[in-house]
Amino acid sequence: MVVLGAGPAGLVLGNLLLESGIDCVILERASRAHVETRARAGFLAANTVRILDRHGLAEGLHRRGQKHGACEFRTDDGRFSLDYGRLGREELHTVYPQQELVTDLLTRYMDAGGRIRFETKAVAVLDADTAQPAVTVREADGRTGRWRARYVAGCDGRHGAARASLPPGAVRHHRRDHGVSWLGLLVEAPPSLDAVGYAVHDRGFAGHMARTPEITRYYLQCAPGTPADAWSQDRIWDELELRMRARQYGPLHRGRVVQRGIVDLDSDVLEPLRHGSLFLAGDAASVISPSAAKGANLAVLEAEILADALADDLLRGEAEGLDHYSARCLTYIWRAQEFSQWMIRLLHAPSGPDGESSFHHSLRRSRIESLRTSRSQQDWFAENYVGV
Ligand code: APR
């Protein structure tokens, strides 16, 4: 088995294959240090924690992760908090920076004797429509090579070799540009709220997400095409305080911005998630906008489904799991996409010359109001917000 990519999808898959005794190698383009320090998402759904628990991969997140069960909305009409841990299925998030999860998964995989090649870029997946697919690679020193296996798992993200190797027409590509961009910031400062904060403002959305006691993530909606360095630190903090209504609800803990980047909110789904002997999981299968923090959770879920199906096929000769892999995952993916799209519409006016009509603006306000006042709407929110 060849697995492309050492993100959450590839590493969970690698660990589970190893656990089943299936021979596999992970090929990762980046260095080990890069993979272990790349700050990404940080919200793990309850089901994700259950999956990791089942396979003994959750020790670090139980020790260092923090439980979260509330989020706060701030709008012109006031603020309200949703204790989603007491609503719906009464499930909590575990806040655990993704690079720490990746480090745990990697350490566990390597300690268990798992094979991984860092700085080895997959160039192409060949012969995917046969029972003997191959992956061509280029290593950091320029040497090239080829790996053969019964199956290849493309866990190498949206720009990886797996997607790029799909012949035209082999899979359908659904995509959506949400017309919204965020300036994503990692700041050296403790969280300013006990909860995730969503501020809806005429100047655009602002978000607050705890990461660790020393590091907080903020997001500021900006015009599409804005360069990441366009805003000074002072402007960033002024804008965050304005949109989060710090004057009314208390100042933010300011700190140095240590990382920034533009996130264009777009989503896509490939269908089916298989081409012959090549399977797609994680971002390679579907990119989901970060508005509802579903990406890493879907990646872990898909990796477990794929690992089970591969074990059935390779160890017991039962191909049914692999035949249903795509359809099973797509049910979860579309549900997550639907909720994520709902969140985007709740939180933003679309950018662009036309902006948002007064009609849509009022609909959005009414949607927030029903979230504030309707218990059944809150239960629905909670179930989808923490669920995958
Ligand atoms: N060859 C080998 N490795 C590659 C290649 C390639 N051609 N292209 C990309 N990679 C590696 C990347 O360096 C990265 O380590 O594949 C890995 C993909 O990992 P992620 O981007 O973390 O994707 P995935 O495992 O699918 O996790 C998905 O995690 O951060 C969240 O929300 C984010 O949705 C995303 C989720």
Side-chain angles (χ1 to χ4, degrees):
M1 184 73 215
V2 175
V3 177
L4 309 182
L11 287 169
V12 169
L13 181 61
N15 273 290
L16 271 50
L17 292 174
L18 210 58
E19 187 182 275
S20 302
I22 294 170
D23 182 32
C24 83
V25 62
I26 300 179
L27 308 176
E28 167 55 53
R29 182 185 55 182
S31 66
R32 179 171 185 173
H34 182 80
V35 167
E36 290 186 337
T37 51
R38 191 171 39 190
R40 307 276 294 278
F43 270 73
L44 299 178
N47 190 53
T48 306
V49 176
R50 279 196 290 274
I51 293 174
L52 297 170
D53 262 332
R54 254 201 298 280
H55 303 284
L57 300 171
E59 199 197 317
L61 68 91
H62 284 307
R63 212 160 355 108
R64 295 188 301 277
Q66 293 171 41
K67 297 281 186 214
H68 264 239
C71 59
E72 185 177 301
F73 291 85
R74 297 181 176 184
T75 75
D76 280 344
D77 298 322
R79 71 169 162 174
F80 63 95
S81 178
L82 285 186
D83 282 337
Y84 60 82
R86 292 162 194 250
L87 294 160
R89 296 194 185 144
E90 304 194 351
E91 292 185 324
L92 300 172
H93 275 123
T94 303
V95 180
Y96 191 54
Q98 187 167 314
Q99 66 274 25
E100 296 197 29
L101 175 65
V102 163
T103 303
D104 295 349
L105 293 170
L106 194 53
T107 307
R108 175 63 190 268
Y109 177 77
M110 294 176 77
D111 286 353
R115 284 192 291 161
I116 182 162
R117 295 292 186 98
F118 291 105
E119 299 182 59
T120 299
K121 181 183 172 180
V123 178
V125 181
L126 308 176
D127 306 327
D129 51 357
T130 72
Q132 269 198 315
V135 178
T136 53
V137 297
R138 188 176 314 111
E139 296 181 22
D141 59 9
R143 275 187 303 164
T144 57
R146 178 181 289 238
W147 292 80
R148 277 204 178 277
R150 173 63 192 91
Y151 293 115
V152 176
C155 304
D156 51 348
R158 76 188 305 180
H159 302 298
R163 274 193 181 204
S165 303
L166 292 167
V171 302
R172 195 160 167 207
H173 194 169
H174 309 269
R175 31 179 145 205
R176 166 115 189 128
D177 177 353
H178 300 287
V180 170
S181 296
W182 287 355
L183 174 61
L185 305 157
L186 217 50
V187 307
E188 259 173 3
S192 302
L193 283 78
D194 293 335
V196 172
Y198 298 110
V200 179
H201 197 281
D202 284 346
R203 294 176 67 89
F205 162 75
H208 161 283
M209 275 139 226
R211 278 291 178 270
T212 69
E214 300 84 30
I215 299 281
T216 306
R217 207 180 234 308
Y218 286 95
Y219 292 107
L220 275 170
Q221 185 182 358
C222 57
T226 305
D229 57 3
W231 297 20
S232 69
Q233 302 234 358
D234 283 345
R235 175 159 179 220
I236 285 170
W237 284 110
D238 290 348
E239 201 68 35
L240 280 170
E241 295 218 316
L242 183 72
R243 298 187 193 180
M244 305 264 329
R245 299 166 176 86
R247 235 192 251 168
Q248 272 164 284
Y249 304 128
L252 305 177
H253 294 300
R254 291 191 176 212
R256 196 164 62 91
V257 175
V258 288
Q259 213 185 78
R260 55 167 86 196
I262 296 293
V263 189
D264 294 318
L265 270 57
D266 66 346
S267 306
D268 71 7
V269 181
L270 266 53
E271 190 169 1
L273 306 178
R274 172 182 192 175
H275 175 59
S277 303
L278 170 64
F279 291 85
L280 306 173
D283 274 11
S286 168
V287 172
I288 185 155
S289 72
S291 56
K294 297 282 184 224
N297 295 294
L298 282 172
V300 172
L301 177 68
E302 291 154 22
E304 192 193 43
I305 296 175
L306 184 55
D308 284 347
L310 286 167
D312 281 346
D313 182 89
L314 295 170
L315 304 177
R316 293 175 277 279
E318 294 164 11
E320 206 183 331
L322 287 181
D323 291 344
H324 294 136
Y325 168 73
S326 177
R328 273 192 78 187
C329 291
L330 285 167
T331 308
Y332 295 109
I333 288 172
W334 281 115
R335 182 144 176 210
Q337 291 283 6
E338 197 277 319
F339 181 68
S340 164
Q341 160 106 353
W342 180 89
M343 282 286 279
I344 291 171
R345 294 240 188 90
L346 184 80
L347 301 174
H348 309 87
S351 310
D354 302 334
E356 187 181 43
S357 71
S358 61
F359 186 83
H360 280 102
H361 179 83
S362 300
L363 284 185
R364 202 149 55 85
R365 210 166 148 187
S366 164
R367 197 175 294 154
I368 294 174
E369 187 57 13
S370 50
L371 191 58
R372 188 177 75 78
T373 53
S374 156
R375 172 66 200 243
S376 58
Q377 181 77 3
Q378 293 171 357
D379 284 328
W380 174 85
F381 173 84
E383 189 178 327
N384 285 278
Y385 190 58
V386 208
V388 263

